[in-house]
Amino acid sequence: MSQPRVDATKIRDHVHRLAQQHPPVDLASADYTVHDPSTVRARFGHVMDYMARVELEVERNVLELAVLLPGVSQTDRTFYADVWGPQEAHHGILLDTLGQHLGLPPVTANTGEVPARVRVLGALAHLPVVHEVIRLLYYLTGAATEKSAMLAYQAMGDGLAEMGEEPTRKTVIDAIKVQEPGHFAFYRLSAAEMVQSGAIAGWQLHLARLLRSRRYGLVGAGTREQRTGFGGVIVELGLDQQLERNVRDISSLETQLLWAHRQGLQVPAYALAAFREAAQTYRARLEGAAAAA
């Protein structure tokens, strides 16, 4: 069955709807009432700390995108600078504030200068053939990031509901969660439009597959320590219990667009390996800490 056609107008209209229907969450609307702070902190403290950092680093992400994608459309710029960026920044503030109400220290986020490696890649991005590969990878990474966030916020919301922590579930976690699907839809539509319109050639798709398989990155995990931290999110939320199914969901867009020629491929091996390794590393850290205690 062929996929529905996507064009620039459809994507632009989607971004405009996001801006109108989903402004950044009103920070004053959050209710940080927690009935059992110590239990919530023990169960979700690591997850909140990690995700708050990732959300707060949107400031640097926007700067990086301006360098990496000098030739994108006004729709793209409006999305990442005026819609996605402000929404994510408020998500980070909400999670950081909630964490502090639970007794966690303020989150330390890297919102500084664009790294040298990004500037080098940005210089190459002025070449149209390179720019389009980077743009496709940006959409695929964004889609995987949003799917990961959707799973995480769903698990957090379910857990808080089980604990009877309704104020924070409704006004913080659910308020954040409702904005993530619109972000995913932007990446999905944009990537599909690239492929359908012929904006990216077969050899560029091949290059994107090669780069993705060799440089697959987990959300907010640019260092070994951060990858272990991401593993903690997987383990603490129980997402490792059905890891292959969850990674299949997270990787669905790139499986569809990059690996359509591989009939029957459900989960890219490199994606599953990255998630599995992160979870294993975190479990090993917990076992080491338990043995030392």
Side-chain angles (χ1 to χ4, degrees):
M1 181 177 178
S2 60
Q3 296 297 316
R5 298 294 298 181
V6 180
D7 59 24
T9 299
K10 185 172 184 177
I11 300 170
R12 183 196 63 201
D13 291 347
H14 174 70
V15 172
H16 287 172
R17 281 194 301 272
L18 286 182
Q20 294 168 2
Q21 298 175 10
H22 294 284
V25 178
D26 180 4
L27 299 179
S29 69
D31 184 345
Y32 298 109
T33 300
V34 179
H35 304 297
D36 189 351
S38 60
T39 301
V40 174
R41 182 175 63 247
R43 183 169 179 181
F44 295 119
H46 173 84
V47 177
M48 288 183 184
D49 182 76
Y50 189 93
M51 296 187 70
R53 174 184 65 80
V54 172
E55 301 278 25
L56 288 171
E57 288 181 345
V58 67
E59 181 178 340
R60 191 195 74 245
N61 298 152
V62 169
L63 295 175
E64 291 178 348
L65 289 171
V67 172
L68 287 171
L69 299 169
V72 293
S73 68
Q74 185 57 48
T75 296
D76 284 84
R77 291 192 183 92
T78 298
F79 172 74
Y80 72 67
D82 300 332
V83 178
W84 174 78
Q87 288 179 358
E88 298 288 281
H90 277 215
H91 296 173
I93 294 171
L94 290 166
L95 291 172
D96 189 24
T97 305
L98 175 57
Q100 291 179 55
H101 275 77
L102 296 175
L104 297 172
V107 168
T108 300
N110 177 10
T111 60
E113 295 184 358
V114 176
R117 58 180 176 76
V118 173
R119 294 189 180 278
V120 171
L121 191 56
L124 294 174
H126 286 277
L127 299 172
V129 293
V130 176
H131 185 278
E132 293 306 87
V133 173
I134 295 174
R135 184 159 71 98
L136 179 61
L137 292 175
Y138 156 59
Y139 295 145
L140 296 179
T141 299
T145 296
E146 299 301 337
K147 278 285 189 175
S148 297
M150 289 160 64
L151 288 172
Y153 287 126
Q154 183 64 53
M156 290 175 67
D158 291 346
L160 288 171
E162 292 170 3
M163 301 169 76
E165 301 289 355
E166 286 300 299
T168 53
R169 180 186 71 82
K170 291 180 178 179
T171 67
V172 179
I173 302 306
D174 283 2
I176 294 172
K177 184 180 69 175
V178 74
Q179 295 191 330
E180 305 294 358
H183 301 167
F184 171 77
F186 168 79
Y187 297 123
R188 177 180 57 80
L189 292 170
S190 299
E193 191 276 335
M194 281 194 78
V195 175
Q196 291 175 3
S197 68
I200 190 160
W203 71 267
Q204 290 171 306
L205 277 174
H206 177 75
L207 179 58
R209 281 193 290 268
L210 180 65
L211 293 173
R212 192 72 170 151
S213 61
R214 294 189 177 183
R215 300 285 295 178
Y216 185 83
L218 300 169
V219 181
T223 67
R224 181 182 296 274
E225 177 67 21
Q226 289 171 347
R227 287 191 290 275
T228 300
F230 184 85
V233 174
I234 298 171
V235 172
E236 297 299 336
L237 291 179
L239 299 178
D240 58 327
Q241 300 304 308
Q242 293 182 306
L243 189 62
E244 185 166 347
R245 188 190 72 176
N246 288 327
V247 177
R248 181 170 66 244
D249 189 23
I250 290 166
S251 305
S252 60
L253 183 63
E254 66 188 87
T255 301
Q256 173 191 334
L257 296 182
L258 290 186
W259 304 100
H261 63 297
R262 293 278 186 89
Q263 296 295 327
L265 178 67
Q266 297 295 315
V267 184
Y270 54 82
L272 183 57
F275 277 78
R276 184 171 285 151
E277 180 182 8
Q280 290 172 344
T281 303
Y282 181 74
R283 290 195 206 95
R285 172 180 290 183
L286 291 181
E287 291 171 0

